[in-house]
Amino acid sequence: MASHIRHRLPDFITIPSGAFPMGTPEGELSELARRYGGTRESYREESPRHPVALAAYAIARTPVTNALYGAFVAATGARAPLMWRGATPPAALLDHPVADVSWEEAATCAAWLRQMTGLALRLPTEAEWERAARGDDGRLFPWGDAFDPALANTREGGAAGTSPVGAYAAGASPWGALDMAGNVWEWTASLDAPYPYVAEDGRETPGRPGRRIMRGGCYANPQGYARCACRFRLPPTARNEFTGFRLAHDG
């Protein structure tokens, strides 16, 4: 079983230790409101921009697929996503990202994969996710500052559903991570807390109650939600057809 599960795991990208500029400069909030709607206060949660130093870590190149999550469901009896319409994922969606997964289910799946493979798999922190998505130059999207609907599965592309992981290879991040803009929202390990990001302030404590941060936007969202700095949050028990996740482990 362990070798079978390892075969289904995504490739992992090792990101070296270093600091990156997290968030959005306060001076850019009004421009975001003009471009994407709302008021400057709508974007206050992703400000101020501040340096965050991270130890080396590895993050999955792509989100967890229905095929991998299906192995978890089959082995543990966990609840299957509603869009499967049964206990197993449809063949046509095996290489699509799993959706309709709560934070608690994502964390449980990562723990099961850790047990099965011997790899220290977990959800990425919010800071790890953002650095993997945008690199160290503060770009708006994984590929740069100009949005291109051909580079991500967002509302502008008209797909109206998930796409196979890695289908938008030209939209890769500077580190080579894929699907970090659009497709499905991705749970992170982090509790919803204001910036500056400080890992030691309790936001990375697994057992603490509270909403968890999601990143990346989804196929139903317009481009503003696909920005690398955009933050969203839901209760850890919430799930819908837009919520998925990817894996990480210590480097």
Side-chain angles (χ1 to χ4, degrees):
M1 171 68 83
S3 61
H4 176 64
I5 297 301
R6 276 180 175 267
H7 178 71
R8 294 188 182 217
L9 287 177
D11 293 335
F12 282 83
I13 300 164
T14 298
I15 298 180
S17 61
F20 79 106
M22 187 171 185
T24 299
E26 188 168 0
E28 296 180 8
L29 300 184
S30 293
E31 172 59 20
L32 289 178
R34 184 196 67 78
R35 186 180 303 178
Y36 301 117
T39 67
R40 62 179 282 116
E41 292 307 309
S42 307
Y43 303 89
R44 177 69 63 182
E45 65 191 8
E46 58 188 72
S47 182
R49 175 169 287 181
H50 55 289
V52 174
L54 296 175
Y57 64 100
I59 194 163
R61 189 178 300 275
T62 55
V64 168
T65 61
N66 283 304
L68 180 56
Y69 199 78
F72 163 66
V73 170
T76 66
R79 184 197 70 94
L82 290 177
M83 55 276 300
W84 290 6
R85 301 187 184 279
T88 57
L93 297 179
L94 288 175
D95 61 349
H96 287 231
V98 68
D100 189 38
V101 174
S102 71
W103 182 88
E104 291 180 347
E105 289 167 335
T108 300
C109 179
W112 178 78
L113 289 168
R114 186 164 61 244
Q115 180 183 13
M116 294 301 300
T117 65
L119 299 173
L121 298 171
R122 55 177 174 80
L123 299 180
T125 68
E126 179 181 14
E128 289 172 337
W129 193 100
E130 185 169 326
R131 189 179 182 209
R134 75 191 315 188
D136 295 342
D137 60 7
R139 60 185 59 193
L140 286 181
F141 300 100
W143 54 84
D145 290 330
F147 181 74
D148 183 340
L151 301 181
N153 183 3
T154 60
R155 182 189 294 175
E156 288 81 2
T162 60
S163 50
V165 298
Y168 293 81
S173 81
W175 305 104
L178 302 173
D179 294 292
M180 301 204 84
N183 219 354
V184 294
W185 282 100
E186 298 180 14
W187 289 108
T188 73
S190 307
L191 279 163
D192 180 20
Y195 283 172
Y197 175 91
V198 179
E200 297 76 22
D201 66 3
R203 71 182 71 204
E204 299 303 344
T205 303
R208 286 187 62 183
R211 300 181 299 179
R212 298 283 167 170
I213 291 290
M214 312 180 78
R215 293 300 199 103
C218 73
Y219 63 86
N221 292 140
Q223 60 178 281
Y225 292 93
R227 294 177 300 107
C228 298
C230 181
R231 309 173 78 201
F232 193 62
R233 79 278 306 133
L234 284 174
T237 56
R239 62 175 77 89
N240 55 50
E241 63 268 38
F242 312 120
T243 57
F245 66 106
R246 78 175 63 212
L247 300 165
H249 64 77
D250 295 339

